[in-house]
Amino acid sequence: STQIDSMSARSVKLKEEIATTQAALSALTRAQAEATKLRAEEKAEYEKNKPEMEAGLQGVKLALKVLREYYAQEGKGHSAAEGPGTGIIGLLEVVESDFTKGLAEMNVAESAAQSEYETDTRANEIEKASKETAVKHMTKEAATLQKSIAETSSDREGAHTELSAILEYKAKLDEICIAKPETYGERAARREAEIAGLKEALEILESETALLQRKRGVSRLRGARAALEPMA
């Protein structure tokens, strides 16, 4: 029926949507797992490099402190080395600046990566919850539709069975109540049966008539004899 066809079409569509949503959920789960793995690797690399950078920076700062204190002392013993010393201090100051900048950039990159990961994770969790709820509702609706289809199909089959029984009973009634045209053979057989019946009835009638006549003759003969006896 149209109702069953409509419910069946909706059921098929729901199953397709469920499959699509479940596939999206699987892809989302894989993407989250990959992001978590990448974040862990990045964090491990950061935690490995940060102490090294901090140690290097501290070493440069310590070297600068020592050199500056050395060249700041009074006396002429190191006056000849002031020119090269100044160059070394200048070089170390550049290294210090590079270390400081690199460490700051490393911290910013780690903070940004962690923040982005957390934002994406929250979004994925919301999307996952939404899709899981959708799958739950669609699955429930599909199950309800399947039940309705089964019940409606059963009702239709019952109605068809009942209708078939009614039609069969009507056909039997029609066969009993509605006269069917006789074939030539049927008419001839019926006519022959009627003639045979008439002949049989006529023979019986003739037989009974003859018997009655004989009885009457005997009765008359007895009457004549009785009338003659007094005259003898």
Side-chain angles (χ1 to χ4, degrees):
S1 67
T2 303
Q3 183 182 9
I4 292 177
D5 292 342
S6 177
M7 289 191 294
S8 296
R10 175 58 180 164
S11 178
V12 170
K13 185 177 180 182
L14 279 173
K15 289 177 181 178
E16 291 175 351
E17 291 177 352
I18 289 170
T20 300
T21 306
Q22 287 177 331
L25 275 170
S26 297
L28 184 64
T29 300
R30 289 193 300 270
Q32 180 62 40
E34 290 173 2
T36 299
K37 180 182 177 182
L38 178 62
R39 178 83 280 272
E41 291 173 351
E42 290 175 344
K43 187 174 181 63
E45 186 70 15
Y46 166 77
E47 291 177 347
K48 173 179 176 293
N49 293 333
K50 181 183 178 182
E52 294 176 356
M53 289 285 289
E54 289 176 338
L57 179 60
Q58 290 302 317
V60 171
K61 286 184 176 182
L62 181 58
L64 282 171
K65 179 182 179 183
V66 171
L67 288 174
R68 285 170 180 157
E69 288 177 353
Y70 173 76
Y71 288 110
Q73 290 177 358
E74 295 181 358
K76 302 295 182 179
H78 56 273
S79 59
E82 285 183 359
T86 302
I88 293 173
I89 291 174
L91 179 60
L92 288 176
E93 286 175 344
V94 171
V95 172
E96 179 188 23
S97 176
D98 290 342
F99 267 104
T100 301
K101 181 179 178 183
L103 183 60
E105 289 177 349
M106 185 184 297
N107 289 334
V108 170
E110 169 61 18
S111 178
Q114 182 64 28
S115 177
E116 182 180 1
Y117 169 76
E118 291 174 355
T119 299
D120 290 344
T121 298
R122 283 193 296 270
N124 288 342
E125 288 173 350
I126 293 171
E127 185 177 358
K128 181 182 178 182
S130 176
K131 290 184 183 300
E132 287 176 340
T133 301
V135 168
K136 181 179 178 181
H137 290 326
M138 288 188 292
T139 301
K140 183 178 179 180
E141 183 181 353
T144 301
L145 277 174
Q146 285 300 114
K147 182 179 179 182
S148 298
I149 290 170
E151 291 175 349
T152 305
S153 298
S154 178
D155 292 342
R156 185 176 66 174
E157 289 175 3
H160 283 177
T161 301
E162 185 176 352
L163 178 60
S164 298
I166 292 172
L167 291 176
E168 183 179 355
Y169 180 69
K170 181 178 181 300
K172 291 180 179 178
L173 288 179
D174 290 344
E175 187 176 336
I176 295 171
C177 301
I178 300 175
K180 295 181 179 179
E182 294 180 321
T183 63
Y184 174 77
E186 291 173 340
R187 289 198 303 271
R190 181 169 56 80
R191 184 62 56 82
E192 289 177 1
E194 290 175 352
I195 292 173
L198 289 173
K199 285 181 179 180
E200 183 180 356
L202 183 59
E203 289 175 358
I204 294 171
L205 181 60
E206 288 176 351
S207 176
E208 289 180 352
T209 301
L211 178 60
L212 182 59
Q213 287 176 350
R214 284 197 298 272
K215 287 182 179 180
R216 286 178 180 176
V218 172
S219 177
R220 288 174 183 174
L221 180 58
R222 287 177 180 173
R225 285 178 181 176
L228 290 174
E229 285 177 358
M231 296 175 59

